[in-house]
Structures are given as C-alpha cells and as structure tokens.
Amino acid sequence: MAWQWFHKLGSPRWFYEKTSRWLTWFAPLSVALLLVGLTWGLAFAPVDAKQGNSYRIIYIHMPAAVLSLAGYYLMAIAGGIGLIWKMKLPFMVMQSAAYVGAALTALTLITGSLWGYPTWGTFWEWDARNIFMLILLFLYLSIIMLGRVYPVREAADKACAILALVGTVNVPIIYKSVDWWYSLHQPASIKLTGSSSIHPSMLYPLLLCIVAYYCFYTLSLILYTRQEILAREARTKWVSELVNTQSSHTKD
Amino acid sequence: MSQWEEPAPNELSISNLTCTREDRVLFTQLEYTCCAGAVLQVLGFNGAGKTTLLHTLAGLMPPASGVIRWRGESIAGNRSYTRSLFYLGHQAPVKPALTVAENIQWLARLRGQSPSAEELCSALEQVDLEAYQNTSCGHLSAGQKRRVALAQLYLSAAPLWILDEPFTAIDKEGVGRLQQLLATHASHGGISVLTSHQPLRLENLHTLDLAAFQPDEACAYV
Amino acid sequence: MSQWEEPAPNELSISNLTCTREDRVLFTQLEYTCCAGAVLQVLGFNGAGKTTLLHTLAGLMPPASGVIRWRGESIAGNRSYTRSLFYLGHQAPVKPALTVAENIQWLARLRGQSPSAEELCSALEQVDLEAYQNTSCGHLSAGQKRRVALAQLYLSAAPLWILDEPFTAIDKEGVGRLQQLLATHASHGGISVLTSHQPLRLENLHTLDLAAFQPDEACAYV
Amino acid sequence: MSEQSTVTTSAWRTIVARDLKLIWRQRTDVVNPLVFYLITITLLPLGVDPSRQFLGSIAPGMLWIMALLATLLSLDTLFRSDYEDGSLIQFQLSAEPLFLTVLGKVTAYWLTTGLPLSLISPVLASMLALPDGGYIALMLSLLLGTAIMSLIGALGAALTVCLRAGGLVLTLIVMPLYLPVLIIGANCVGSAVAGFSFLRELALLGAGLAIALIVMPAAIAGALKISANQ
Amino acid sequence: MSEQSTVTTSAWRTIVARDLKLIWRQRTDVVNPLVFYLITITLLPLGVDPSRQFLGSIAPGMLWIMALLATLLSLDTLFRSDYEDGSLIQFQLSAEPLFLTVLGKVTAYWLTTGLPLSLISPVLASMLALPDGGYIALMLSLLLGTAIMSLIGALGAALTVCLRAGGLVLTLIVMPLYLPVLIIGANCVGSAVAGFSFLRELALLGAGLAIALIVMPAAIAGALKISANQ
Ligand code: HEM
Ligand SMILES: Nc1ncnc2c1ncn2[C@@H]1O[C@H](COP(=O)(O)OP(=O)(O)OP(=O)(O)O)[C@@H](O)[C@H]1O
Ligand SMILES: Nc1ncnc2c1ncn2[C@@H]1O[C@H](COP(=O)(O)OP(=O)(O)OP(=O)(O)O)[C@@H](O)[C@H]1O
Ligand SMILES: [Mg+2]
Ligand SMILES: [Mg+2]
C-alpha cells in the first residue's frame, strides 16, 4: 500500500492535478505572508542604532541565504530519488529547484553587495561567506548548464542528479574549507551584529520573513515543476486534453 | 571456449520489445527467438531503429518495455550475459596511435583474454593485415581500420555476436571471408545478430525486417 | 547550371599518375580519361589507394608524379576546376548541432549557391528527410546523416562529382535512388568518379581497377 | 566588380553565421570562456592574500593573464570538429579562397570569446579591486588584445588540428606569440592605473591587430591546407 | 579466489598500459601540462611586480592555481576519443566492472599529468622565489592534490563527454569542486613557508583522496554509462 502511494508520487499527472487544487489556497497564502513579512521588516521594524535604515536589507537577504543552501539539498535529494527509483517527477523537481535555488543565491549575492556598499564601503569583499555563496551559485549554474546542453532529456536528468549528489558531499567540504581559509587570513574588517544579540522587535519580522520565504520557495518550486511537467509531457494525451479544455474555457 | 561447452543452449529471445528514441516509438511488440546456430540479419530502412535494437540487445540501453532473455534469463544487469557477448558498433574502437597488433591486444585483454603470439598472427592473417602488424593504425585506410576491429572476431570465444554493419568499407574478398566466419560461428552453435544493407549469402540466414513492427499512428509517441 | 552550357567539353584525363603514401608507391603509371557522361567506379582491395586517388583528383593532395587535366588544363592551382567540382569524402561534413535544413544550407552557401526554399524541399524529399527538416543532425541515424550530405548532390551544379563510398550506410531504396541520380547526371554530360565495393547497376559504367597499376617489387618505394 | 565582391565575402558571411549558430545551439561556448574567466578570478584571492590593496596591485596583470588563459582554453576546438567531419575539405574546395572562410571562423570565435570576455571584465576587475581609472584601459586593451590573440591562436589551432593531443602542442606554439600582447596589455592597464596616458599601448595593440589581420589569414589557410590531408 | 582477483584487476592494468602507451606515442600529453605549467609560471612575473619578495608572497597560491589550471587543460581529452571511436562501449561490455577500467584511465592520467607536475614544481617554485621550507610541502601537497583533482576532473569529463563543446561545461562543473583542494593545498604550502607544521593539511588532503577514491569511480562509471549511449 505504502509503495503504491510512493509511486503515485512519481507520476507527473497526479502531481499536476493535486497541486492544481492546493494552489488555490496556497498561492494567496504565501504571497500574503511574504507581503506582510516584508512590509513589517522594511517599513515598521525599528531603525538600527549603528547601521540606520540600510540594515533592513536583512529581511530580504538572510532568508534568501538560508533557503539557497537548503534548496541545494532538496535538489540533490530529489535527484537521488529519481536515480534510485527511476521516476520522472523527482527529476523535474530537481531541475526546478536548480533554477529557483540559483535565483535565490543570486538574490543573496545582489542584496549582500548592495548592503555591503553602505557598511563595508565596497560592493564586494573576499569574505568567507561571500565566497561560499558565489561557489554555491556556480554549483547551481553547473547543474542548470548541464541540464540544458545535454541532447537527450533522460540522460540530462541522470547526469544532473549525479552531479548534484557529488555536490552534497562537497558542499559541506567547501563550506568548511572556505571558513577555514578565512580564519587563516586576517580577521573580518567589519563585525556584523550577531543574530543572538538582535532585538526581538527586529527578530520577529525576520522570523516571519523566513517562514514566508519557505512558503514562497515551495510555491515557486511547484509552479516551476508544473511548467516543466507541461513542457515535457506535451505529447501525452492528458496534457493535450488539458490544453483543449483550457482553451475552450477561454473561448467561452 | 569454455562457455561453448556449457549445457544451457544458446538462445536469445526477444519478447514484446518496444524501443523509443526521445519519446518517438521506433518499433513495438517485437517478438523473436534466435536459437543456437542462427545468423540473424536485421533489416530496415535508414532510421528504422536497427542500431537502437542492437544497442538494446547488447544491454547498453534499457528498452522502453519488453524483455530480452539470454539462455532463459533476463539480460538486465546480467553480468554473465555481458561476458558471453561480443559487440561491434558503427565505429571501430581502434586507436590511431597504437600499432595494429597493440590495438588487437588491448581489445582482447579488455575482454579478459590474452591471445598468444600465434593466435594474434593467425587473426591478422585472416584479416589480411600481416604486413601491417607494426604500422600504427592512423596510417591505415578506412577498410583496413575496420579490419583491425574485425580481427577480434577471430579471437572471440563469445557465443553471441552483435555486429552493426560489419561489412562497411570492407572489400569484396573481405566480405566473403567474413561471411564464411559467420557460417563457422553458426556451425559451432554460436548466434550472430547483424545489420547490413547488403544481401548476404549464408545458409541458415534469418532476417528480421523492422518495417513490420512500426507502431500505428495512434501510439507513435509515448 | 551555367557551367554546363559552356562550350569546352567536360573531360577529366589522368596521365601517368603515381601516388605515394609515406614513400610507399600505391599505384603507378595510371592512365585514364573520363569523357562527358561517364560514371567511373574505382575498384581495388582495402588499402589499394582509392581514397588517395580521389583526394589527388580533387586537388587536395599533390601527386608524386603525373598530371591530371580538366578540360585540357592541369588542375594544379586551377581555381575554376575547384569550382566545377563536388567532392564528398568518407566523412559527412554534417554538424550535429545544426538542423538538417541548416546543414544543407551552409554547405550549399559555401559553394556559392543559395538554394531557394523549394530547391531545399525537393532535395530533402529526394533523400527522404522531409520529416526531419528541423531535427538537429545529432539525433539522426548513421544513414540519415549520410543522406544529409548526399542531399548536396541534388543541389549541386558542378559537372564533376567525386564521391568516396557514397553508398555507405544507405539502405537499398536509397542506393537505387542514388544510382538513378548518377545516371541523370551522366545524361546531362556530367562526370562522376566514385568508389564502392558494391556492384553498381548503371548503363555507361566504367570501372578502373587499381590492382592493375600496382608497382613491381623493384619500385615499390620511392 | 560588385558581383565579384559579394561572392567573395559570402564565404566569410556563411561561416560567421554558421559558427555563431553552432555556438548558440551548443550555448556553452558563449558562456564558458566567461565562466572560466569568472571562476579563475574567483579562485585567485583564495590562493593569495585577499586584502583589497594587495589584490589591486596584482589585478592588472592577473586580469590579463586569466583572459589569455580563457582564450587559450577553447582554442583547441576551433578547427577540430571541422577537421574530423570533413568540413575542412569542403572549405578548401569552396568557391572562395580559404583565407576568407578562415577569417569567418576567427571572427565568430572572437565574437563569442574575446568580445564577451572584454565586456564582462570591468565586473571582475571590481571584484579584484582594480583601482579606478584602469577600467576603460582594461576593456579597450582586452578588446584589441583578444582579437590579436584569436588570430594567433587560430594559427596554432590550424597547425595542430591533425594531431590527436593537439591542445597541448598548441599551448607551446601559441604562448610565445601571446607574450608581447600580454606585456603590452598589462602595461596598458598598469599605466592607466598609475594615472599615465595609455594611448601609446593602445596604439601598439592596434598596430599589432592590423599586422595580424594582414598576415594571419593567409598563414592560417596555408597551415590548414597542410594539416587537412594527413 | 586469486584467479578471480587477477581477472578483476586486469581491466585496470590493460587500460593503464594502453593509455600510457598511447600518451607516450603521442608524446605531447606527457610534456604539455608541464609546458603549460612552465609557461604560465613564466608569464606571471610579466604581469605583476617581479621583485623576489613580492613573487615569494604570491608563490604558494600561484603555484597551486597554475597547477590546477594545467590539470584542467588536458581533462577534456580524457574520455573523448574513447567515446568517439566506440571504445567506451567496449569498456562497458568488458569482462570486469566499468569502475575498474575508469580507475585505470584516471591512474594513467595522473601518472602523466599530476605526477610529473608535482615532481617539477620545486624548480618552478624556485623561479617564483618561494621561501625555503615550502618545497617539501609543495611537492607532497601537489602529489595528493593532483590525484584528488584527477578523480574529480574525470567525473566532469565523463559527464560532458557526449557534448560537442564539452571542454567548457567541464570547467564549470569541475572548478567549484576543485576549490577545497586548492584552499587546503595553498594553505599547506603557506603554513610550511610560515614555519608551522603542515601535517594537518596533508592529512586533510589524504582524507580527501580516500573519500574521492571511494566515491568517484562509481560516480564516473555511472556518468559514462549515461553519456555513452547518446
Ligand atoms: C555579497 C555579499 C554577501 C553574501 C554573499 C552574504 C551571504 C550571507 C549568507 C550565506 C548568510 C547566511 C548565514 C547563515 O545562515 O549562517 C548571510 C546572513 C547574513 N548576512 Fe550576509 N552576505 C553578504 C553581504 C552582507 C552584508 C554587506 C551584510 C551587512 C553588513 C550582511 C549581513 C548579514 C546578516 C546580518 C546575516 C544574518 C545573521 C547571521 O546569520 O549571521 N551580509 N549572508
Ligand atoms: N594518413 C595516412 N598516412 C600514411 N599512410 C596512409 C594514410 N592513409 C592511408 N595510408 C596508406 O595508404 C594506402 C592507401 O590508402 P587509401 O585510404 O587510399 O586506401 P583505399 O583504397 O581507400 O582503401 P579502403 O577501401 O580501405 O578505403 C593504405 O595502404 C594505407 O596504409
Ligand atoms: N542519439 C539520438 N538521439 C535521438 N534520436 C536518435 C539518436 N540516434 C538515432 N535517433 C533516431 O532514432 C531512429 C533510429 O535510429 P537508428 O540509429 O537506430 O537507425 P538505424 O536503423 O540504425 O539506421 P541506419 O540504417 O541509418 O543506421 C532514427 O530515426 C533517428 O532519428
Ligand atoms: Mg544504424
Ligand atoms: Mg578509402
């Protein structure tokens, strides 16, 4: 019984139909959460004593950073499941997670640089975390690139899954080595406010933002995967039926 | 040669095989059984799926559906099947920087054989390359390069041969000799599956035309 | 088509040709003249020097000695000869990343032609690849890839065709069609020189067996 | 006359169009000298002292050296696939002289490696903390320098195309010829950073490009004719 | 039992022998990562301040970065010719598991790139005025590091073997994974130069090699199986 459920999970059609129903309430919810969290953080949280208003970028920056790392593992796990149980859906999730993850990593880097200008006086500093983020972006990009250049879809999926799995071993190693490299060089020129010392009135919106980012991440992953499903299953009967019914709806 | 003395009869059976390339069904519901001593020539127009079929038979590609059995066992993940197989594709696995003899040797070693000097010589003689033994393969003509790869057949003890267009670029006399070799292999109880657009002159030649297994319009795509 | 209307008759004459590969003489004192409307099949065992001969005829390689004349003029450094020549070698110059139509187009453009959409379509139809027009060539089978290269023949206005094993990997029906094309080319006064180990069924087919021009022992090396 | 000239430039145009299309299809060539450049520049501070001042002092030289290596990395493939599938023979037998076709290939190569590399260089320069004032010199010198290096590199690629492990002989052939370009280019950026005029270096690079444009296509065509018939 | 073990290692031995012979015949592969290494190290002082003190301060990082790039340069060819002429299919169908054959190829690769590169590194280090005390650390760390990088690189090569312009996707895949090796290796030399013990770094590299030896052959074999049937 349990296995039947598991294999259903691997069916793109099942996923598409199920998520169609979820999306009706999940999409508004996550967008609302995000809006509330960001407005609270960006507009209503108190001004920081040292950094003034520029610290507010943290509400965009930090959750994105946390998620881009978590997203990598999600991607790798999806790839692993696809490889082991030879299912289609996890591969699609993996590809979508690569895109969403790369976007989040890029967002972290961009907001970080923007934040760096008022605080560090430069857009880029060779700081351990920055380098790690940059490398993570490369890891994402390599998976996206590999997926795009492969001539055959199935092979591309498997190749990406192998790369993602090898990456899981490597990401912690990269993280540690970068950190370790940094400790050997001179210490940071600027110390950030540690998250422990953060004032609750700033912390609560941050927590809300993190939750909202998680929801939003799930939402974008689902949307991306649905698009991927339609693209890959375009020739199957159920998709063409779906397209037919939708186009007849729009005609009415 | 040890495999040949085994009691289980050589038999390759294909049941209900469907192969696809990028969602397009090439052929479907293919049923065929090759018994010991058969030479099977797979026919079909360009793009019919002959190479795909041979790849699938060699276990290099999983079929979309259906089962292939060797001596009654499915070939999926079957290592003993791999060992009783000799496959030669479109391309000759011949390194231009190595000499003819060296090329033959490494290919044989890879399959776990270590041919003696005499065996090597006789194989070279069979493919008419004695004079080129120490020539590096980059200096051979197209047909001679193919012959280096074909020399493996004279060394191989595998009961099942899968050959994709083995006659490409081979001259008339070479084609005749190769057909004779196939006949000998068959008479020892071996099986050969090959593709060729040329008609063959062999006694117990079976043909399999892939055109007969084309899918109907309705299920041309999975 | 403009070249065809020229007054000078198409004629390819080979006189006293000797070709060598790395000091070894492949054939010597080769004399032959192809007149307009001839199809010449070069024969020879593997390694006889057929490919070398065709390369020499195409002006890609200087001969060891002897002269090749086209319409009475030596071909060495003769640009108008290059323009009246179509050469297709062992390998098909087909880029896997481009689609079939794109491949045909760039090859034609390179020879200074710009085929219209209809010409392109009819050439594709002739080689049975209409359905694959927008497929990238990396996804074609071996024979289909060769057919992409062969489609050039239907677009070419060159009076002299030099084809190295054009029938490789082509199925029976395709071989028939190609022979028909060669016959048409000949009937328009064109000349084709080709190698093949298969016997051809053409009316005014001439054959040239390189085995007859082997050097004697004494002068096998230069 | 004009008919003649349209014919002669059409080989060039055909090959530029074909190669750009090929590269765009494979998509990787456009992005990847960039990616190589980006990644090697990223690796740099990991090996040495990452302080801004130190990085700034090595930046002009490093940006140029890494650009050179990035160009070198993809050179090997320039004529290889054309050689292997017989396209090179078609080039030789085409209606127009070989050097035009070759020029087309080099143009496409430069458009997809040198040009994007030069355009992205300011971003990387700012990561390496190149002092202000060096940016324009860096971009201009890279634009000219990569063009020269593409022409030189194509000669190396043509000479080694018939070798199996050509990529590495190539390095040996090409590097000494790249040296003057590197020295002038790095000096150009160096002068600009120091606040001097860098016009002389740019003029030198321009002159180099002119010479290379005159000499190289014929040399490359000759080299290809030799290699093609192995 | 012993018969079994001779059979299983014979694929490895065959391939090592074949590849070494191939490389020796072509002769260029042995020499050229070295040549590349030599030339890039020579280029370095042309781009930056050539005073001994300055060079000495960037030497550990640069020696390692250039070694990394030299290894990368020839990676592309690792499986390519085997893919193109169908040898890869023969590897898959050989009597022994694919990962042994793969291990054989990687061994031959390392023996002809990593090993000579490590052995020659002291000479280049002295050209870059590496302070005394760094030499042993440099050689040992390069020996271990190039072995790890060969294994990682082989995975990249296997994943991209069926792509036409694979050499550059390869860079993107491989570089981030090389990063920890580079950091630890450069630090190893750095510590040695500073007079500290570098055993910890060597131990880390050793551990990395052990992990890579366990994980990579299977991953490479998997990747090859996927790419071989395109
Ligand atoms: C491009 C530059 C930057 C990158 C790539 C980057 C990356 C990251 C990452 C990966 C995290 C998550 C750390 C974790 O979860 O442990 C993070 C968190 C954070 N970043 Fe950044 N960052 C950048 C610039 C900045 C700047 C300029 C500031 C402020 C001066 C800053 C302040 C913070 C803070 C306060 C947090 C959360 C608190 C913490 O976990 O330590 N970041 N950043
Ligand atoms: N690149 C080369 N370098 C040196 N010798 C070569 C080279 N190519 C071919 N040869 C030699 O030249 C001779 C003729 O080769 P060629 O390719 O012309 O033969 P062919 O008649 O076309 O044979 P096939 O029927 O096999 O295509 C062969 O004996 C071969 O050994
Ligand atoms: N790598 C590939 N990717 C996608 N499709 C492919 C690939 N190779 C072949 N195909 C398609 O699969 C079909 C069958 O190809 P296959 O190579 O099996 O044909 P074949 O019967 O061997 O033809 P030929 O006689 O030309 O060798 C062809 O229509 C081709 O378009
Ligand atoms: Mg085939
Ligand atoms: Mg030939």
Side-chain angles (χ1 to χ4, degrees):
Chain A
M1 285 316 285
W3 284 106
Q4 213 170 7
W5 167 82
F6 190 65
H7 274 278
K8 230 191 206 166
L9 207 72
S11 147
R13 182 181 182 179
W14 176 85
F15 178 87
Y16 192 90
E17 282 161 3
K18 208 68 178 171
T19 50
S20 299
R21 248 176 295 145
W22 291 348
L23 278 183
T24 48
W25 57 268
F26 188 69
L29 174 74
S30 43
V31 170
L33 267 180
L34 195 66
L35 282 179
V36 171
L38 286 183
T39 6
W40 187 2
L42 294 181
F44 296 107
V47 175
D48 185 76
K50 269 182 283 177
Q51 300 188 20
N53 273 319
S54 67
Y55 93 96
R56 292 181 194 280
I57 290 186
I58 197 176
Y59 296 110
I60 307 175
H61 172 81
M62 195 246 184
V66 171
L67 261 176
S68 52
L69 186 58
Y72 190 89
Y73 278 89
L74 183 106
M75 178 181 73
I77 291 168
I81 292 175
L83 266 191
I84 295 169
W85 283 287
K86 300 193 169 64
M87 294 191 292
K88 281 186 189 169
L89 182 64
F91 283 136
M92 301 184 193
V93 173
M94 177 186 71
Q95 287 293 344
S96 317
Y99 283 98
V100 179
L104 280 176
T105 316
L107 182 69
T108 313
L109 281 169
I110 291 167
T111 52
S113 320
L114 288 180
W115 196 359
Y117 200 66
T119 45
W120 297 339
T122 162
F123 284 113
W124 183 259
E125 185 69 30
W126 291 96
D127 158 277
R129 257 189 339 202
N130 294 8
I131 295 173
F132 175 69
M133 240 26 209
L134 193 61
I135 298 300
L136 193 64
L137 182 66
F138 286 145
L139 286 175
Y140 274 124
L141 286 183
S142 67
I143 285 175
I144 292 175
M145 178 79 77
L146 197 65
R148 296 190 60 147
V149 296
Y150 253 68
V152 177
R153 194 65 258 165
E154 291 156 39
D157 286 339
K158 287 184 198 158
C160 290
I162 287 183
L163 188 59
L165 284 175
V166 171
T168 52
V169 183
N170 253 289
V171 164
I173 297 180
I174 295 173
Y175 185 78
K176 270 253 75 80
S177 67
V178 169
D179 221 29
W180 189 56
W181 162 80
Y182 192 62
S183 68
L184 282 195
H185 289 97
Q186 73 278 32
S189 40
I190 292 150
K191 267 271 174 271
L192 306 179
T193 41
S195 49
S196 51
S197 65
I198 192 168
H199 193 271
S201 58
M202 296 178 183
L203 183 64
Y204 292 138
L206 188 60
L207 290 181
L208 183 64
C209 272
I210 294 180
V211 174
Y213 258 72
Y214 265 101
C215 290
F216 193 71
Y217 178 85
T218 318
L219 177 67
S220 26
L221 194 62
I222 289 176
L223 288 178
Y224 238 106
T225 311
R226 283 162 61 89
Q227 199 195 332
E228 192 82 14
I229 289 173
L230 288 189
R232 290 201 200 175
E233 308 260 297
R235 279 179 175 151
T236 57
K237 223 191 279 169
W238 72 270
V239 171
S240 46
E241 273 167 16
L242 191 81
V243 172
N244 285 339
T245 52
Q246 294 223 327
S247 55
S248 64
H249 270 301
T250 47
K251 251 181 240 154
D252 291 345
Chain B
M1 304 270 155
S2 67
Q3 287 102 323
W4 293 31
E5 274 114 51
E6 270 174 34
N10 295 329
E11 193 192 66
L12 183 74
S13 77
I14 303 169
S15 60
N16 199 12
L17 189 73
T18 303
C19 281
T20 58
R21 277 279 197 184
E22 299 214 321
D23 296 352
R24 196 159 59 81
V25 177
L26 296 178
F27 51 83
T28 182
Q29 300 180 325
L30 182 67
E31 301 271 351
Y32 202 86
T33 304
C34 287
C35 300
V39 178
L40 175 65
Q41 182 180 17
V42 181
L43 295 174
F45 53 91
N46 286 142
K50 300 180 292 299
T51 301
T52 311
L53 174 63
L54 296 201
H55 268 242
T56 314
L57 285 183
L60 294 167
M61 239 180 199
S65 72
V67 190
I68 300 161
R69 287 198 186 77
W70 171 248
R71 292 178 183 157
E73 280 172 50
S74 164
I75 65 159
N78 183 344
R79 285 209 69 80
S80 85
Y81 174 66
T82 309
R83 238 167 280 139
S84 53
L85 174 73
F86 177 83
Y87 177 86
L88 183 64
H90 268 297
Q91 307 285 29
V94 166
K95 297 286 164 195
L98 296 183
T99 67
V100 172
E102 283 167 345
N103 260 308
I104 293 178
Q105 255 156 354
W106 81 258
L107 273 169
R109 290 235 184 86
L110 198 61
R111 283 181 293 106
Q113 299 175 321
S114 30
S116 65
E118 295 93 64
E119 281 173 325
L120 191 77
C121 262
S122 85
L124 278 173
E125 215 168 288
Q126 293 296 323
V127 294
D128 238 346
L129 287 177
E130 317 94 291
Y132 293 88
Q133 183 160 5
N134 296 319
T135 309
S136 72
C137 288
H139 293 180
L140 295 183
S141 77
Q144 288 169 330
K145 246 176 237 160
R146 293 280 314 171
R147 280 160 181 260
V148 175
L150 288 174
Q152 289 301 313
L153 287 176
Y154 292 92
L155 297 173
S156 165
L160 176 62
W161 291 355
I162 298 186
L163 313 172
D164 202 351
E165 312 211 13
F167 303 112
T168 303
I170 301 290
D171 62 20
K172 243 186 203 151
E173 187 259 334
V175 170
R177 230 189 269 189
L178 200 53
Q179 294 196 23
Q180 214 174 316
L181 177 67
L182 289 174
T184 319
H185 183 63
S187 72
H188 288 229
I191 297 179
S192 322
V193 181
L194 62 121
T195 65
S196 175
H197 297 294
Q198 279 174 261
L200 300 190
R201 276 195 221 94
L202 278 173
E203 268 169 43
N204 44 0
L205 179 74
H206 304 253
T207 59
L208 170 67
D209 195 342
L210 286 186
F213 299 94
Q214 299 279 306
D216 11 324
E217 283 299 299
C219 49
Y221 293 93
V222 282
Chain C
M1 304 268 156
S2 67
Q3 287 102 324
W4 293 29
E5 274 115 51
E6 271 174 33
N10 296 329
E11 193 191 67
L12 184 73
S13 76
I14 305 170
S15 60
N16 199 12
L17 190 71
T18 303
C19 282
T20 57
R21 277 281 196 183
E22 301 213 321
D23 297 350
R24 198 159 56 80
V25 177
L26 295 179
F27 51 84
T28 182
Q29 299 180 325
L30 182 66
E31 301 272 351
Y32 202 87
T33 303
C34 286
C35 301
V39 178
L40 175 65
Q41 181 179 17
V42 180
L43 295 174
F45 53 91
N46 286 142
K50 300 181 292 300
T51 301
T52 311
L53 174 62
L54 296 201
H55 269 242
T56 313
L57 286 184
L60 294 167
M61 238 179 199
S65 73
V67 189
I68 301 162
R69 287 200 186 77
W70 172 247
R71 292 176 184 157
E73 280 172 51
S74 163
I75 65 160
N78 183 344
R79 285 211 67 80
S80 86
Y81 174 65
T82 310
R83 237 167 281 138
S84 54
L85 174 73
F86 177 83
Y87 176 84
L88 184 63
H90 268 297
Q91 305 284 29
V94 165
K95 297 285 163 194
L98 296 183
T99 67
V100 172
E102 284 167 345
N103 261 308
I104 294 179
Q105 255 156 354
W106 81 258
L107 273 169
R109 289 233 185 86
L110 197 60
R111 284 181 293 107
Q113 300 175 319
S114 31
S116 66
E118 293 94 66
E119 282 172 325
L120 191 78
C121 262
S122 87
L124 279 173
E125 216 168 287
Q126 293 296 324
V127 294
D128 237 348
L129 286 177
E130 315 95 291
Y132 293 89
Q133 184 160 4
N134 296 317
T135 309
S136 70
C137 288
H139 293 181
L140 295 183
S141 77
Q144 287 170 330
K145 245 175 240 161
R146 294 281 313 173
R147 280 162 181 259
V148 175
L150 289 175
Q152 290 302 313
L153 287 176
Y154 292 92
L155 297 173
S156 164
L160 176 61
W161 291 354
I162 298 185
L163 312 172
D164 202 351
E165 310 211 13
F167 303 111
T168 303
I170 301 290
D171 62 19
K172 243 187 203 150
E173 188 257 335
V175 170
R177 231 191 268 190
L178 200 52
Q179 295 197 22
Q180 214 176 317
L181 177 67
L182 289 174
T184 319
H185 183 63
S187 72
H188 288 227
I191 298 179
S192 321
V193 181
L194 62 125
T195 66
S196 174
H197 297 293
Q198 279 174 260
L200 300 190
R201 276 195 222 93
L202 278 172
E203 269 169 41
N204 44 0
L205 179 73
H206 305 254
T207 59
L208 170 66
D209 196 342
L210 287 186
F213 300 94
Q214 298 279 306
D216 10 324
E217 284 298 301
C219 49
Y221 292 92
V222 281
Chain D
M1 245 336 19
S2 93
E3 216 253 275
Q4 177 67 20
S5 84
T6 48
V7 167
T8 42
T9 55
S10 102
W12 183 82
R13 213 148 2 96
T14 305
I15 294 301
V16 171
R18 186 202 71 155
D19 273 23
L20 288 181
K21 214 182 274 175
L22 268 176
I23 292 169
W24 176 245
R25 282 294 147 68
Q26 290 162 349
R27 209 104 13 127
T28 57
D29 264 348
V30 196
V31 180
N32 269 287
L34 293 190
V35 168
F36 180 86
Y37 198 43
L38 225 138
I39 294 186
T40 44
I41 295 285
T42 316
L43 289 183
L44 211 59
L46 296 176
V48 299
D49 176 7
S51 71
R52 291 184 63 78
Q53 200 192 349
F54 188 84
L55 283 180
S57 72
I58 59 171
M62 282 302 151
L63 284 165
W64 251 91
I65 291 179
M66 293 306 174
L68 186 154
L69 295 183
T71 334
L72 193 73
L73 197 72
S74 50
L75 258 188
D76 185 32
T77 52
L78 186 54
F79 295 112
R80 174 133 322 223
S81 79
D82 284 330
Y83 171 68
E84 281 172 0
D85 66 11
S87 301
L88 217 51
I89 291 181
Q90 300 298 332
F91 292 168
Q92 277 183 272
L93 297 176
S94 87
E96 286 105 43
L98 184 55
F99 75 85
L100 271 180
T101 318
V102 161
L103 206 57
K105 279 205 75 83
V106 177
T107 310
Y109 180 74
W110 180 76
L111 284 178
T112 53
T113 59
L115 182 63
L117 205 143
S118 313
L119 295 182
I120 209 181
S121 61
V123 178
L124 298 178
S126 85
M127 285 178 80
L128 280 196
L130 183 75
D132 302 340
Y135 289 81
I136 290 178
L138 178 70
M139 228 166 104
L140 291 180
S141 65
L142 275 179
L143 275 176
L144 290 172
T146 50
I148 303 177
M149 293 197 293
S150 301
L151 282 162
I152 298 175
L155 178 66
L159 285 171
T160 57
V161 72
C162 61
L163 310 177
R164 275 261 118 198
L168 296 163
V169 192
L170 182 61
T171 315
L172 193 59
I173 295 178
V174 157
M175 276 289 193
L177 301 177
Y178 275 10
L179 264 185
V181 185
L182 170 70
I183 293 175
I184 298 174
N187 267 341
C188 180
V189 186
S191 317
V193 167
F196 302 131
S197 155
F198 53 90
L199 283 181
R200 199 179 64 135
E201 282 89 350
L202 276 189
L204 276 174
L205 285 176
L209 181 57
I211 296 176
L213 269 176
I214 294 167
V215 175
M216 283 301 169
I220 299 168
L224 278 183
K225 271 185 199 151
I226 295 167
S227 328
N229 298 310
Q230 295 297 317
Chain E
M1 237 351 2
S2 94
E3 215 253 276
Q4 176 70 18
S5 84
T6 48
V7 167
T8 41
T9 54
S10 100
W12 183 84
R13 214 146 4 96
T14 307
I15 294 302
V16 171
R18 186 200 71 154
D19 273 23
L20 288 181
K21 216 181 274 174
L22 269 177
I23 292 169
W24 178 245
R25 285 289 152 70
Q26 289 162 347
R27 210 99 21 123
T28 57
D29 263 348
V30 197
V31 180
N32 270 286
L34 294 190
V35 168
F36 180 86
Y37 197 43
L38 225 138
I39 294 185
T40 46
I41 295 286
T42 321
L43 289 184
L44 216 56
L46 296 176
V48 300
D49 175 9
S51 70
R52 286 186 66 79
Q53 202 193 345
F54 188 83
L55 281 182
S57 73
I58 60 171
M62 283 301 153
L63 284 166
W64 251 92
I65 290 179
M66 294 307 174
L68 186 155
L69 295 182
T71 333
L72 193 72
L73 196 72
S74 50
L75 258 188
D76 185 31
T77 53
L78 186 55
F79 295 111
R80 175 135 321 224
S81 77
D82 285 330
Y83 170 69
E84 281 172 359
D85 66 11
S87 301
L88 216 51
I89 289 181
Q90 299 298 333
F91 293 169
Q92 275 181 272
L93 296 176
S94 86
E96 286 106 45
L98 184 55
F99 74 85
L100 271 180
T101 318
V102 161
L103 209 55
K105 278 204 77 82
V106 177
T107 311
Y109 180 74
W110 179 76
L111 284 178
T112 53
T113 59
L115 182 64
L117 206 142
S118 314
L119 295 183
I120 209 181
S121 61
V123 178
L124 298 178
S126 81
M127 285 175 73
L128 280 196
L130 182 75
D132 303 341
Y135 289 81
I136 291 179
L138 178 69
M139 228 167 103
L140 290 181
S141 66
L142 275 179
L143 275 176
L144 289 172
T146 49
I148 304 177
M149 293 197 292
S150 301
L151 282 162
I152 297 176
L155 177 68
L159 283 172
T160 56
V161 72
C162 61
L163 310 176
R164 276 262 115 198
L168 296 162
V169 192
L170 182 61
T171 315
L172 186 59
I173 292 178
V174 157
M175 278 286 194
L177 305 181
Y178 274 8
L179 185 103
V181 186
L182 170 70
I183 290 176
I184 298 173
N187 270 339
C188 180
V189 186
S191 315
V193 168
F196 302 130
S197 156
F198 53 89
L199 282 182
R200 197 176 65 137
E201 283 90 348
L202 277 189
L204 276 173
L205 285 177
L209 182 57
I211 296 179
L213 271 176
I214 293 167
V215 176
M216 285 300 170
I220 299 168
L224 279 182
K225 272 185 199 151
I226 293 165
S227 351
N229 299 309
Q230 296 294 317

